[in-house]
Amino acid sequence: GGASMAAGSGGLGGLLTIETKPDWNKGRSLMISTGAGSFGKYSGLVKLRAGGKKMQSVTRLFANSEINDFPFMNQAGFSEPVRQYRNNAEVIQNSLMQEFYFRGKKSITTASAWYNYLDRNLPSNILVPQNDGAESQLDRSLRTVLNHNRYFGGGGTETTIAWFSEDLWYVNKTISVDSRNRSNTIFLREVVEIPAGSKTDIKFMVLDEVNMVRSVNYDGQVTRNLLTMSVSARREI
């Protein structure tokens, strides 16, 4: 339905929201998880939580690597099935997420940052012979968000400032492609919810999104500014 208008950037449609929230009843805790699997797969996760009822800090570290050299029968590239091993399918992924939560008498402020690094080789289809490292893609992203919620008399305000930075570097040595792309996005969002009686709420939202892109497809930097304003009313019958 129209729920995506209130939380998204403007399009009508479905909405799936995944968010992290503080647990004010928990103090310090440490969680460590490791894993290993076939074909050179290793992973690890560390989560550290600290703080009290007024301030919380949550730190997450994640690492994953895979070789993906699994065997298969190639029945398309030869007259008779040939047993081969998948090559050029390695993956390395590292992530760091840091969150701070501050709670006042009638407000909650959140500051969070998420850095993600993904380096992977891209295997070709089984009809085309491919050397190691012939095709690859490197993705790096940094996402930072500052959010302040204030509550009053059945309503409240929400102010959000965010900056996203994305880098994508695609290389295909077979066809001589070296494509480097960078984008920066700034979000400014203000939501005001006001009660109109005991069973009716009115919500106002203003969202300003600025996109700045440098790509091999453009000459210089290209900028786009998208401003969205909405008003919604909800009544309990």
Side-chain angles (χ1 to χ4, degrees), residues 25-68:
N25 296 319
K26 278 191 175 182
R28 290 175 294 179
S29 64
L30 175 64
M31 182 184 74
I32 300 176
S33 175
T34 60
S38 302
F39 316 115
K41 177 177 176 62
Y42 299 96
S43 64
L45 170 67
V46 177
K47 178 181 177 181
L48 175 63
R49 178 190 295 273
K53 295 184 178 298
K54 295 294 184 180
M55 193 275 286
Q56 289 275 338
S57 171
V58 182
T59 304
R60 297 177 178 88
L61 293 168
F62 173 75
N64 180 67
S65 64
E66 302 176 34
I67 298 178
N68 288 325

Side-chain angles (χ1 to χ4, degrees), residues 152 154-156 192-196 200-204:
F152 56 85
V192 179
E193 188 169 356
I194 302 174
T200 304
D201 295 323
I202 301 177
K203 182 182 289 186
F204 303 88

Side-chain angles (χ1 to χ4, degrees), residues 136-140 166-173 176-184 212-222:
S136 62
Q137 181 169 314
L138 176 65
D139 294 274
R140 291 176 295 187
E166 310 274 347
D167 281 326
L168 187 153
W169 183 14
Y170 170 76
V171 175
N172 191 326
K173 297 179 181 179
S176 301
V177 172
D178 189 329
S179 176
R180 308 188 185 201
N181 308 274
R182 170 173 293 182
S183 68
N184 286 277
M212 296 163 285
V213 177
R214 288 188 178 275
S215 169
V216 294
N217 303 303
Y218 305 120
D219 292 329
Q221 179 173 284
V222 178

Side-chain angles (χ1 to χ4, degrees), residues 26-165:
K26 278 191 175 182
R28 290 175 294 179
S29 64
L30 175 64
M31 182 184 74
I32 300 176
S33 175
T34 60
S38 302
F39 316 115
K41 177 177 176 62
Y42 299 96
S43 64
L45 170 67
V46 177
K47 178 181 177 181
L48 175 63
R49 178 190 295 273
K53 295 184 178 298
K54 295 294 184 180
M55 193 275 286
Q56 289 275 338
S57 171
V58 182
T59 304
R60 297 177 178 88
L61 293 168
F62 173 75
N64 180 67
S65 64
E66 302 176 34
I67 298 178
N68 288 325
D69 55 345
F70 56 87
F72 68 99
M73 297 300 296
N74 189 345
Q75 303 182 25
F78 304 92
S79 57
E80 297 291 336
V82 175
R83 181 182 175 88
Q84 293 184 325
Y85 288 87
R86 203 64 167 126
N87 69 316
N88 204 62
E90 298 86 354
V91 176
I92 297 176
Q93 181 179 8
N94 300 310
S95 295
L96 168 64
M97 180 182 290
Q98 177 63 56
E99 300 167 340
F100 293 103
Y101 301 94
F102 305 92
R103 183 166 69 168
K105 290 184 178 181
K106 294 185 178 181
S107 66
I108 295 178
T109 302
T110 304
S112 57
W114 177 21
Y115 177 75
N116 189 58
Y117 174 91
L118 178 60
D119 188 3
R120 52 188 167 172
N121 287 337
L122 305 177
S124 65
N125 67 71
I126 61 176
L127 297 176
V128 180
Q130 185 186 43
N131 297 323
D132 289 336
E135 187 176 2
S136 62
Q137 181 169 314
L138 176 65
D139 294 274
R140 291 176 295 187
S141 66
L142 174 63
R143 301 178 181 182
T144 60
V145 180
L146 180 63
N147 182 267
H148 179 71
N149 287 272
R150 189 165 187 85
Y151 309 99
F152 56 85
T157 63
E158 180 183 357
T159 303
T160 304
I161 302 173
W163 169 53
F164 292 175
S165 178

Side-chain angles (χ1 to χ4, degrees), residues 180-232:
R180 308 188 185 201
N181 308 274
R182 170 173 293 182
S183 68
N184 286 277
T185 304
I186 298 175
F187 298 91
L188 301 173
R189 181 170 178 260
E190 182 68 28
V191 179
V192 179
E193 188 169 356
I194 302 174
S198 60
K199 295 186 178 182
T200 304
D201 295 323
I202 301 177
K203 182 182 289 186
F204 303 88
M205 186 195 74
V206 178
L207 171 65
D208 192 17
E209 178 183 337
V210 181
N211 304 110
M212 296 163 285
V213 177
R214 288 188 178 275
S215 169
V216 294
N217 303 303
Y218 305 120
D219 292 329
Q221 179 173 284
V222 178
T223 304
R224 180 182 69 174
N225 193 348
L226 179 63
L227 178 64
T228 303
M229 293 179 288
S230 68
V231 179
S232 61

